[in-house]
Amino acid sequence: MADTARDGGDAFADEAEPTVTIGEYIEGIEAEELEVDLVLGGDDGKECTYAGGYLKRQAVFSCLTCVPDGVAGVCTACSLACHDGHEIVELWTKRRFRCDCGNSNFGGHLCKLCPEKDSENLENCYNHNFKGSYCTCGRPYPDPEAKEQVEMIQCCICEDWFHEDHIGLNSIEEIPRDEEGEPLYEDFICHKCSPVCYFLKLYPETIWASSKQNLTSQTDASDSTVMEGGPSDHANIEKHENGAHVDHMGDEKTSMENGSTKEIAVPEKANVESSSGNNCKLGMNVNTMPAVTEKNMPFFMSKGWRDTLCRCETCTNFYAQQAIAYLVDKEDSIEEYEKIAKQKREKKLEQQEGAETNFLNSLNHVQKIEILSGINDMKNEFQSFLESFDSSKPVTSEDIRSVFENLAKKKKQRLS
């Protein structure tokens, strides 16, 4: 950060550079390691995931050096072992994807970890993210032409990433956030995918994420309207682009299409109890919903909204027809993916701790004392260094060398 001038150009001489303790530094490293584990799903990157088939969710990478047209993706292990030094695009996670490394899309470049693969993975889906472009604007991320990188959010349906000001809202202030700016939604459905998920409007208001401001800004029902194509917490009337209205106050839903009226019975609030077989939460056939006549708007879904979705035979078949059956698969969600990643990380840390304990137990008494003394000396030496160090100056290689020279002297004195 540049110095701030005052009083004719004099800098704030008394402003010291921020410093961190060893504990804070270690906590920062651990937080970064956790973030990586969450993105990679706990994958240690040692084995190609091809043998696992089309995994429900995994970290995927695209190699533009090998496949410039972006019609292939590789797993974490292959990105490290087979494409080291290549131009790699990190795609975060993709659903139902199988590693392509070394197949026909790679033009003879065989996979080092799993060379025996089919020529192509027919069920894999590729979008423009695999070419390194995102959003409706098709820009890369990070964008080399942008003065400041703008936050992007991922649609849970198409899995594309969008700039917040490119999702069809009048203002990004409409995105549900708390007072600190943290998102209040669990999943985002972009304006391109919301028509496929329009059936969600039949569900209770609790599935929609709402900001605190929206929750407290209730107006008179007779004057209220909702944003075209979007959910409403308090409004009872929804205005369509063709000027017609849908009245939600009674037990029937009316839509005006080409001057004709058709009515579909819809309960005022869906039954959110568990459903199975033909016991539908909605109390209606979801296939008889009227055609979408509104402007496409994004949906912001509340925490646990997928658990509310009906799983009766009719609704389940409807999800399959719309190619969104994964919405009722718990393992598809990012929340479950990260939960599994955390469990793998905890297990890995326990194994590391166990290995360290076993190593110490294998040593004799003298060796244990030597190691523990060395650890204590290092701790004390770094503590002394931090206490005596001028925090306004940068740490140099000479400073670090001095710390280890002092440690070596203490070890020599202890052994003499």
Side-chain angles (χ1 to χ4, degrees):
M1 181 180 294
D3 289 332
T4 304
R6 65 174 179 179
D7 298 332
D10 292 335
F12 286 106
D14 57 341
E15 285 191 358
E17 291 293 324
T19 60
V20 295
T21 65
I22 292 295
E24 290 172 335
Y25 176 75
I26 292 174
E27 287 178 1
I29 294 295
E30 290 177 345
E32 290 179 3
E33 289 178 348
L34 174 59
E35 184 176 353
V36 170
D37 278 344
L38 293 181
V39 172
L40 299 182
D43 186 355
D44 58 12
K46 295 180 180 179
E47 296 182 3
C48 176
T49 60
Y50 179 82
Y54 294 90
L55 300 184
K56 291 189 175 181
R57 186 166 292 282
Q58 68 170 311
V60 177
F61 303 81
S62 175
C63 180
L64 298 183
T65 301
C66 295
V67 189
D69 55 355
V71 290
V74 303
C75 67
T76 301
C78 287
S79 72
L80 299 172
C82 308
H83 303 275
D84 183 34
H86 293 188
E87 184 181 357
I88 298 292
V89 176
E90 183 179 348
L91 303 175
W92 199 31
T93 71
K94 295 292 182 184
R95 69 167 56 91
R96 283 201 55 76
F97 199 90
R98 195 175 196 184
C99 182
D100 286 318
C101 183
N103 67 15
S104 59
N105 292 325
F106 286 80
H109 177 87
L110 294 179
C111 177
K112 298 177 181 179
L113 303 179
C114 184
E116 298 298 326
K117 293 181 178 177
D118 293 338
S119 60
E120 58 182 324
N121 295 314
L122 297 176
E123 295 183 36
N124 279 358
C125 294
Y126 312 96
N127 61 10
H128 66 162
N129 296 168
F130 286 79
K131 298 180 182 180
S133 61
Y134 305 87
C135 188
T136 54
C137 62
R139 297 299 302 165
Y141 188 88
D143 190 339
E145 297 182 8
K147 295 181 179 179
E148 183 178 352
Q149 299 304 322
V150 180
E151 184 176 351
M152 302 182 78
I153 52 180
Q154 187 183 39
C155 174
C156 68
I157 303 297
C158 66
E159 298 191 302
D160 194 4
W161 291 82
F162 296 86
H163 297 103
E164 292 182 343
D165 54 352
H166 292 170
I167 57 178
L169 296 176
N170 296 322
S171 168
I172 61 173
E173 298 299 321
E174 296 173 5
I175 298 175
R177 292 190 176 94
D178 62 20
E179 295 175 349
E180 274 127 28
E182 294 299 318
L184 289 171
Y185 58 91
E186 179 175 86
D187 279 324
F188 158 73
I189 299 175
C190 74
H191 55 300
K192 297 189 297 181
C193 295
S194 59
V196 178
C197 299
Y198 194 72
F199 69 94
L200 293 173
K201 287 206 168 189
L202 299 177
Y203 283 87
E205 298 166 354
T206 53
I207 73 168
W208 307 105
S210 298
S211 65
K212 183 177 180 181
Q213 180 179 0
N214 288 338
L215 288 172
T216 57
S217 60
Q218 184 173 1
T219 57
D220 188 277
S222 61
D223 298 325
S224 61
T225 59
V226 302
M227 181 174 59
E228 294 179 347
S232 170
D233 288 313
H234 303 292
N236 294 316
I237 299 175
E238 188 170 347
K239 188 173 182 180
H240 289 249
E241 286 186 321
N242 60 8
H245 292 77
V246 177
D247 189 351
H248 294 287
M249 294 184 67
D251 293 330
E252 293 182 335
K253 183 172 183 179
T254 305
S255 77
M256 304 294 295
E257 296 179 351
N258 300 323
S260 63
T261 303
K262 70 175 182 179
E263 298 181 353
I264 297 177
V266 179
E268 187 171 349
K269 287 189 178 180
N271 176 18
V272 295
E273 298 297 325
S274 61
S275 60
S276 61
N278 293 320
N279 182 23
C280 182
K281 289 182 179 181
L282 300 174
M284 65 168 288
N285 188 336
V286 69
N287 295 287
T288 61
M289 278 190 62
V292 179
T293 59
E294 303 171 355
K295 177 183 177 181
N296 298 345
M297 299 296 286
F299 292 167
F300 295 92
M301 314 310 298
S302 65
K303 184 175 178 60
W305 70 278
R306 296 190 188 207
D307 296 334
T308 305
L309 297 182
C310 181
R311 287 161 172 77
C312 75
E313 184 177 354
T314 299
C315 288
T316 300
N317 290 337
F318 174 80
Y319 306 146
Q321 292 168 6
Q322 299 297 321
I324 54 174
Y326 49 79
L327 289 181
V328 289
D329 181 355
K330 187 174 183 179
E331 294 183 16
D332 174 79
S333 68
I334 295 297
E335 182 181 23
E336 185 68 16
Y337 177 80
E338 292 186 344
K339 177 182 176 182
I340 294 173
K342 289 179 180 177
Q343 291 173 346
K344 290 181 178 179
R345 175 177 173 79
E346 289 172 1
K347 185 177 180 180
K348 180 173 65 177
L349 293 175
E350 287 176 1
Q351 291 174 340
Q352 291 176 352
E353 187 175 328
E356 292 167 359
T357 301
N358 291 336
F359 172 71
L360 285 174
N361 290 337
S362 68
L363 302 176
N364 59 40
H365 179 71
V366 174
Q367 291 171 323
K368 287 180 181 179
I369 293 298
E370 176 62 26
I371 288 179
L372 294 175
S373 297
I375 293 174
N376 190 57
D377 285 346
M378 180 174 287
K379 177 182 176 181
N380 292 335
E381 187 64 31
F382 272 107
Q383 185 66 36
S384 299
F385 171 76
L386 292 173
E387 290 175 352
S388 61
F389 186 73
D390 185 352
S391 59
S392 65
K393 298 179 180 179
V395 178
T396 65
S397 58
E398 184 61 34
D399 294 323
I400 301 300
R401 187 180 301 111
S402 175
V403 168
F404 283 97
E405 285 178 353
N406 289 337
L407 285 171
K409 292 178 181 178
K410 288 184 178 181
K411 180 178 179 180
K412 186 176 180 180
Q413 292 173 355
R414 189 171 61 249
L415 295 177
S416 61

